[in-house]
Amino acid sequence: MLSPFRLYTILLITLSVVRAVPPPAEFRRRQSITALSPSQVAALKPYSYYASAGYCAANATLAWDCGAICQANPSFQPVASGGDGSSVQFWFVGFDPTLNTIIVSHQGTNPQDILPLLTDGDLTLEKPDATLFPGLDSSIEVHSGFAQEQAKTATSILGAVSSAISKYGTKSVTLTGHSLGAAIALLDAAYLPLHIPELVVTFIGYGLPRVGDQSWANYLDAQPISVTHINNQEDFVPTLPGMFLGYHHPSGEVHIVDSGSWLACPGQDNASTECIVGDVPSIFSGNESDHDGPYGGVEMGSC
Ligand SMILES: *[C@@H]1O[C@H](CO)[C@@H](O)[C@H](O)[C@H]1NC(C)=O
Ligand SMILES: *[C@@H]1O[C@H](CO)[C@@H](O)[C@H](O)[C@H]1NC(C)=O
Ligand SMILES: *[C@@H]1O[C@H](CO)[C@@H](O)[C@H](O)[C@H]1NC(C)=O
């Protein structure tokens, strides 16, 4: 009889042989860089407005009274909001009956304020807090500055999402945000399903910086979480912190190119010049004004 260890070894070898077999042609074809259709781009627009509304004060989003940004999603039903816009980024949670999903949005920050987080002392990678992220593989590390920001609102978000689940009877949650807000929302996307079973998680983020290491990116790719991170033209924020520092994006990049097309870039950190890594090889080839958008006509960064 084979010892468990030998069985395990054989299993590993078999798995790696299986993995080495190239995917069928049909699958490879789908792996090319393709433009989103006009209807796919249009379907993302409500989330762009939800990300933009993340910049609005907590009292305004709770009343869903923030002018055109709120009116773009007129049926939204707020559940909770918080933050003060300075020491804690604003956030809100509610339900969209048209999209039939709970929405969680976090405020971002402007390029001048996020740059220190991405280039200076705060670049340390750390293991996510074991209480917030129980049972994660010990190889996973995330940006300590982003982890601290996410920890400030984590239990409030969890409470509000739980209330929304009871009230509206759905387990679909969509997390969104721009810039720092996207980074917090991505951490939420990993955090919430560790506490709420059978949650159906979608992440749609804008101008997302890199949040964690290779194990983090691989973990997200392996989860049943739909990840879409949209970046605009020559915005350099999504290229930071650099891969040479050990940071990696999960799959799911959508790059808005100068022509206005939205290109789906397969894999993690696709190096093609049609995707952000190839388009913005250094911060000096980037353009700070692209960070706030427009993302399909929606500007981020103010309310
Ligand atoms: C939110 O509070 C600010 C001042 O704290 C006030 O000016 C604003 O009108 C309030 N907005 C709403 C929608 O209540
Ligand atoms: C980048 O996209 C190309 C398709 O043009 C694909 O062949 C390649 O595998 C992708 N790179 C990564 C790292 O996934
Ligand atoms: C940066 O982007 C803005 C807006 O897209 C544009 O007006 C400006 O010319 C760009 N700057 C450079 C140096 O390309």
Side-chain angles (χ1 to χ4, degrees), residues 28-34 251 264-272 274-275:
R28 278 206 305 275
R29 215 169 24 247
R30 276 193 276 123
Q31 291 298 292
S32 59
I33 295 167
T34 49
S251 302
C265 293
Q268 299 171 346
D269 296 296
N270 197 303
S272 162
E274 294 188 292
C275 307

Side-chain angles (χ1 to χ4, degrees), residues 126-134 147 151:
E126 65 177 37
K127 296 191 194 314
D129 179 271
T131 310
L132 294 178
F133 295 87

Side-chain angles (χ1 to χ4, degrees), residues 57-66:
N59 65 336
T61 49
L62 195 61
W64 207 237
D65 179 9
C66 67

Side-chain angles (χ1 to χ4, degrees), residues 121-253:
D122 253 348
L123 281 178
T124 342
L125 285 158
E126 65 177 37
K127 296 191 194 314
D129 179 271
T131 310
L132 294 178
F133 295 87
L136 285 198
D137 191 283
S138 64
S139 64
I140 295 175
E141 293 195 320
V142 295
H143 183 288
S144 35
F146 295 155
Q148 279 165 30
E149 291 301 319
Q150 192 265 345
K152 289 177 184 173
T153 59
T155 51
S156 304
I157 299 288
L158 178 60
V161 169
S162 303
S163 305
I165 290 171
S166 316
K167 185 160 184 199
Y168 296 104
T170 178
K171 281 205 152 180
S172 161
V173 60
T174 304
L175 301 119
T176 190
H178 165 248
S179 188
L180 171 61
I184 299 171
L186 188 64
L187 285 158
D188 277 356
Y191 158 73
L192 290 173
L194 297 174
H195 301 273
I196 305 175
E198 291 148 40
L199 202 62
V200 180
V201 180
T202 302
F203 167 86
I204 301 173
Y206 300 82
L208 172 75
R210 294 196 181 98
V211 173
D213 67 358
Q214 184 68 70
S215 299
W216 161 255
N218 293 350
Y219 173 76
L220 287 171
D221 281 6
Q223 297 304 303
I225 299 173
S226 165
V227 170
T228 304
H229 49 107
I230 302 160
N231 49 51
N232 183 44
Q233 300 188 344
E234 280 78 46
D235 179 11
F236 52 72
V237 169
T239 70
L240 299 172
M243 285 187 279
F244 69 95
L245 293 167
Y247 282 86
H248 293 273
H249 273 305
S251 302
E253 177 186 354

Side-chain angles (χ1 to χ4, degrees), residues 233 287 289-290:
Q233 300 188 344
N287 183 338
S289 67
D290 289 337

